Amino acid sequence: MPINELRAIATFAKAVELGSLRQAALSQGVSPQAASQAVAHLEQHLGVRLLHRTTRSLALTEEGQRFLQDTQPALAALDRALNLARDSREGIAGPLRIVGPKSCFAPVLMPLLDEFCRLHPGIVPDVRLDDGIGNWVLDRVDAGFRIGASPDESVIGRRLFPVQLIVCAAPQYLQRHGVPRSLDELAAHRCSMFRHAATDTVMPWYLPVDGELTHRYLQPALSTNDAELELHAVLAGQVLGQLSNICAAAHIRAGRLVPVLLAHVSEHIGLHVYYGSRDALPRRVRAFIDLAVQRLQDCPDYLLSMEELERAAAAGAAALSGG
């Protein structure tokens, strides 16, 4: 139905409710002439007279009475839908649809989501974590997270913190196999390789060399498409792995993992939050994005400075030598 017809029907119903076309015009923010013309055009379109009107009063015709009865339920439903849409924009409540990577991301997202839901109990999270999700491939997504390059221009993205890729191993692995001192020595080590969930291809290790990002394919002692399994395999001393700071930071700080080859720590990718529009963004979505930026941007829980990595490497070396 054309929008002009909807406005004319609403004007007609409001005039009957208030007993005056002038009052209906005032309530709708239009001129009395515009309100009168809207009803006249509606009558012309329907081919029936809806109102008996004089300068002082109006009354429904029989056709007008029947038309009002038939349209009132639809007008009431439309009014409810409009109010719900306004409330969802103005209130911090309702569904919040989030997508993000599966690999090691739940420990990052859950504290953020827990805080947000405690602040706003009316929020109903709907979360899908999947390493195969692209930038913005799901309909009706409110906010997304992505590990990798910045999302494309079809969405708005904010970089939260760099994802550091750190070669590390458990102390027991290094006791058995030794500490690699150069990239060439990796060929003699048991290395884990990550298999991309979407393409099922084994990913190389991305390693900066003399300021240039290089990639190396190694003979895998373990390959998996699950970052948590890879982490546990490295923690168990089965393999040497290139792990993200998201997975490894807490274990490096606790001494459960020892970083090696520090000259080749990569920071070429980042964690981003992204969304579809700056305009007409519901308050619940804006509030969640603001909290994500506040809590996660350059968050020290996940970022390891080179000084911290050097201390962890030195502590690991001392433990291995018995010093």
Side-chain angles (χ1 to χ4, degrees):
M1 179 181 294
I3 193 67
N4 287 341
E5 290 183 15
L6 284 173
R7 288 174 179 163
I9 294 170
T11 300
F12 160 70
K14 184 61 70 174
V16 174
E17 177 188 343
L18 299 178
S20 165
L21 272 169
R22 180 177 292 275
Q23 292 301 316
L26 288 173
S27 72
Q28 295 183 326
V30 299
S31 69
Q33 293 82 0
S36 180
Q37 287 176 2
V39 174
H41 288 158
L42 179 62
E43 290 175 323
Q44 183 179 5
H45 177 70
L46 297 173
V48 295
R49 192 169 183 82
L50 300 174
L51 295 172
H52 294 300
R53 48 195 181 273
T54 68
T55 56
R56 294 191 176 185
S57 65
L58 57 81
L60 284 166
T61 64
E62 184 177 342
E63 292 80 7
Q65 180 68 46
R66 191 162 50 246
F67 184 72
L68 182 65
Q69 291 173 349
D70 290 342
T71 56
Q72 273 183 328
L75 288 172
L78 179 60
D79 191 53
R80 284 194 300 273
L82 291 171
N83 287 334
L84 283 172
R86 293 189 191 100
D87 289 345
S88 67
R89 174 174 170 78
E90 296 169 2
I92 303 180
L96 183 67
R97 299 176 180 87
I98 302 167
V99 298
K102 183 179 180 182
S103 298
C104 290
F105 186 62
V108 178
L109 178 61
M110 194 56 229
L112 175 68
L113 201 56
D114 178 60
E115 180 179 358
F116 191 69
C117 289
R118 289 178 187 276
L119 290 170
H120 309 292
I123 288 294
V124 182
D126 179 358
V127 181
R128 179 179 174 186
L129 300 184
D130 188 336
D131 289 326
I133 293 175
N135 286 346
W136 199 253
V137 297
L138 295 181
D139 292 335
R140 302 187 304 154
V141 169
D142 293 316
F145 294 88
R146 184 176 190 271
I147 293 174
S150 178
D152 62 37
E153 294 180 357
S154 65
V155 297
I156 300 162
R158 295 189 65 172
R159 194 171 195 253
L160 297 174
F161 59 78
V163 174
Q164 300 166 298
L165 299 179
I166 305 163
V167 181
C168 50
Q172 60 266 38
Y173 174 92
L174 298 176
Q175 286 172 348
R176 290 196 301 268
H177 302 282
V179 179
R181 304 296 178 183
S182 69
L183 296 182
D184 290 337
E185 291 185 16
L186 289 174
H189 281 267
R190 292 175 51 82
C191 297
S192 68
M193 305 294 287
F194 188 77
R195 186 179 293 276
H196 196 283
T199 63
D200 200 39
T201 57
V202 173
M203 305 295 291
W205 283 13
Y206 291 93
L207 301 156
V209 176
D210 298 327
E212 296 290 330
L213 185 68
T214 66
H215 60 272
R216 290 203 175 197
Y217 288 93
L218 303 168
Q219 183 63 38
L222 167 76
S223 61
T224 177
N225 65 351
D226 188 272
E228 188 172 357
L229 176 65
E230 182 181 33
L231 169 63
H232 285 293
V234 176
L235 286 169
Q238 286 293 319
V239 287
L240 182 79
Q242 187 184 46
L243 303 178
S244 74
N245 52 337
I246 297 173
C247 296
H251 299 291
I252 290 173
R253 287 171 175 147
R256 292 185 291 269
L257 292 177
V258 178
V260 299
L261 300 173
L262 298 188
H264 306 289
V265 173
S266 170
E267 297 186 4
H268 72 286
I269 57 177
L271 174 67
H272 298 81
V273 61
Y274 57 95
Y275 48 99
S277 172
R278 295 187 192 276
D279 302 321
L281 200 63
R283 279 190 64 198
R284 67 183 185 281
V285 180
R286 169 55 63 191
F288 178 73
I289 292 168
D290 288 346
L291 185 66
V293 172
Q294 182 181 353
R295 293 289 182 262
L296 295 179
Q297 193 158 52
D298 295 327
C299 179
D301 292 347
Y302 306 107
L303 287 178
L304 292 156
S305 68
M306 185 52 65
E307 291 78 11
E308 191 173 8
L309 287 169
E310 288 171 349
R311 288 196 300 270
L320 291 174
S321 64

